[in-house]
């Protein structure tokens, strides 16, 4: 039996980003900045300083309040980078974006504690870890020491298995059990601000992901803000016989559905289109 959702219950969420409170009473857009040559839909487009900075500026002007910087593609069969290779690829981008756009928050997409340390010294505001701390044993400890908000994503336990469809039980129950265990671990390391990402595109069937959308209000029991990352995901475009760049209308319909069910942060490639959706 799924938990009851109280229709009149509208929790107030805010997270502390280095002393600046991010108010999530209204939804926020996180723009994706891939510093990678091999991401599935925009690989190689923004992996030099000039093009990356211009793209960040465009997303900010279009309505992104958070820029999510990632140096490693996590699509199936992507090139695997070490922490030092990630740091080298990121280079000065965090510093440059912070210098040009000091009011914009920067999220760092990494599963390495060493990269979190580097990013913290460069000025990041949030940690976005797809691994739930499972790919680096000191990740939770490191995040706790920084005091940064942590985005906790639901995923299979290893890098090699993260895209395998292993979950046979009810997907909502599985996700909530995982979150419950991980939240306790994070809090034991002093992590106070936690954002939940159900992990669309990682080890779930098409049917499971549509169930997640339909029942998104049951994930996390309304106690933590939800981040949604469905932008250009194959569970949307493959059943339609389309490509990742051809599903903007379908994606925005799903965004609106989850917005109405309480989602707070939307991690997207198409910032302007998402801004129009959230303005509705």
């Amino acid at each position: 039996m799924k938990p009851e959702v109280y229709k009149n219950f509208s929790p107030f969420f805010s997270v502390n980003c280095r002393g600046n409170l991010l108010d999530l009473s209204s939804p926020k857009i996180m723009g994706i900045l891939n510093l990678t040559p091999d991401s599935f839909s925009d690989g190689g487009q923004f992996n030099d300083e000039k093009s990356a900075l211009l793209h960040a500026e465009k997303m900010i002007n279009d309505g992104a309040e958070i820029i999510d910087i990632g140096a490693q593609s996590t699509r199936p069969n992507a090139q695997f980078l070490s922490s030092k290779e990630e740091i080298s690829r990121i280079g000065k981008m965090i510093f440059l974006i912070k210098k040009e756009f000091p009011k914009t928050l920067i999220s760092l997409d990494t599963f390495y504690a060493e990269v979190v340390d580097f990013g913290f010294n460069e000025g990041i505001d949030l940690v976005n870890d797809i691994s739930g701390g499972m790919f680096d044993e000191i990740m939770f400890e490191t995040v706790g020491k920084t005091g940064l908000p942590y985005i906790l994503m639901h995923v299979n336990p290893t890098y090699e298995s993260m895209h395998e469809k292993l979950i046979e039980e009810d997907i909502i129950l599985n996700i909530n059990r995982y979150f419950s265990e991980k939240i306790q671990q994070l809090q034991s390391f002093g992590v106070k601000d936690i954002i939940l990402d159900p992990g669309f595109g990682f080890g779930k069937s098409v049917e499971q992901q549509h169930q997640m959308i339909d029942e998104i209000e049951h994930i996390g029991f309304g106690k933590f803000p939800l981040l949604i990352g469905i932008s250009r995901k194959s569970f949307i475009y493959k059943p339609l016989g389309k490509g990742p760049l051809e599903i903007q209308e379908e994606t925005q319909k799903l965004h609106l559905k989850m917005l109405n069910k309480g989602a707070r942060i939307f991690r997207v490639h198409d910032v302007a289109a998402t801004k129009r959706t959230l303005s509705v």
Side-chain angles (χ1 to χ4, degrees):
M1 181 179 294
K2 295 183 175 62
E4 181 180 355
V5 174
Y6 296 95
K7 295 180 180 178
N8 296 323
F9 178 60
S10 181
F12 170 79
F13 295 122
S14 65
V15 292
N16 185 347
C17 300
R18 304 185 81 129
N20 297 311
L21 284 183
L22 175 64
D23 177 6
L24 296 175
S25 59
S26 60
K28 299 293 185 285
I29 298 173
M30 174 185 284
I32 299 169
L33 181 59
N34 285 321
L35 307 177
T36 57
D38 59 343
S39 288
F40 66 95
S41 68
D42 60 0
Q45 292 187 38
F46 314 116
N47 60 343
D48 65 84
E49 286 184 3
K50 182 178 179 180
S51 60
L53 199 57
L54 286 172
H55 188 56
E57 180 178 24
K58 181 182 186 304
M59 291 193 290
I60 293 164
N61 289 338
D62 285 345
E65 296 185 47
I66 309 167
I67 298 295
D68 189 47
I69 296 178
Q72 178 146 210
S73 173
T74 52
R75 66 169 176 79
N77 304 313
Q79 177 191 6
F80 179 80
L81 299 182
S82 68
S83 58
K84 288 180 171 52
E85 288 172 318
E86 276 196 22
I87 290 169
S88 175
R89 187 174 283 180
I90 294 166
K92 298 179 180 178
M93 279 313 306
I94 296 168
F95 169 79
L96 292 173
I97 293 174
K98 272 293 178 184
K99 181 181 177 182
E100 292 295 320
F101 311 102
K103 294 183 179 180
T104 299
L105 299 177
I106 295 182
S107 165
L108 181 57
D109 185 351
T110 185
F111 46 73
Y112 289 121
E114 183 181 2
V115 182
V116 170
D117 273 332
F118 166 78
F120 179 71
N121 292 330
E122 291 289 297
I124 64 167
D125 303 284
L126 304 96
V127 175
N128 183 13
D129 173 18
I130 67 152
S131 80
M134 294 184 288
F135 301 174
D136 188 328
E137 62 183 12
I138 62 169
M139 174 60 89
F140 286 1
E141 177 185 355
T142 300
V143 175
K145 288 177 180 177
T146 67
L148 295 175
Y150 179 81
I151 299 168
L152 170 63
M153 195 185 88
H154 177 273
V155 70
N156 290 330
T158 66
Y159 178 88
E160 291 75 19
S161 70
M162 66 179 170
H163 290 294
E164 295 179 14
K165 296 174 178 59
L166 304 175
I167 304 167
E168 296 183 358
E169 68 175 331
D170 181 88
I171 189 66
I172 306 299
L173 293 176
N174 184 280
I175 290 172
N176 278 332
R177 183 182 302 114
Y178 170 97
F179 280 154
S180 179
E181 293 172 356
K182 294 291 180 181
I183 288 165
Q184 287 185 7
Q185 292 173 26
L186 282 161
Q187 291 175 337
S188 74
F189 283 105
V191 180
K192 295 181 174 62
D193 293 288
I194 301 169
I195 298 165
L196 304 181
D197 177 350
F200 288 97
F202 287 85
K204 286 102 174 168
S205 68
V206 171
E207 293 76 17
Q208 286 174 329
Q209 293 179 90
H210 281 287
Q211 181 188 349
M212 289 158 61
I213 291 171
D214 289 340
E215 302 177 17
I216 199 76
E217 70 271 27
H218 298 299
I219 293 177
F221 306 107
K223 295 182 179 180
F224 298 89
L226 286 179
L227 180 147
I228 301 301
I230 63 170
S231 182
R232 301 181 182 176
K233 292 291 173 75
S234 64
F235 82 95
I236 304 174
Y237 67 79
K238 282 187 177 179
L240 298 173
K242 295 184 176 182
L245 303 180
E246 301 173 312
I247 54 168
Q248 188 176 112
E249 182 179 351
E250 293 87 349
T251 301
Q252 297 312 322
K253 286 180 179 178
L254 296 177
H255 278 161
L256 185 58
K257 184 173 184 176
M258 287 185 281
L259 172 66
N260 289 332
K261 288 174 173 280
R264 297 289 86 193
I265 302 174
F266 294 83
R267 182 180 182 272
V268 303
H269 298 85
D270 304 303
V271 173
T274 307
K275 180 68 174 179
R276 289 192 294 271
T277 299
L278 301 191
S279 298
V280 172

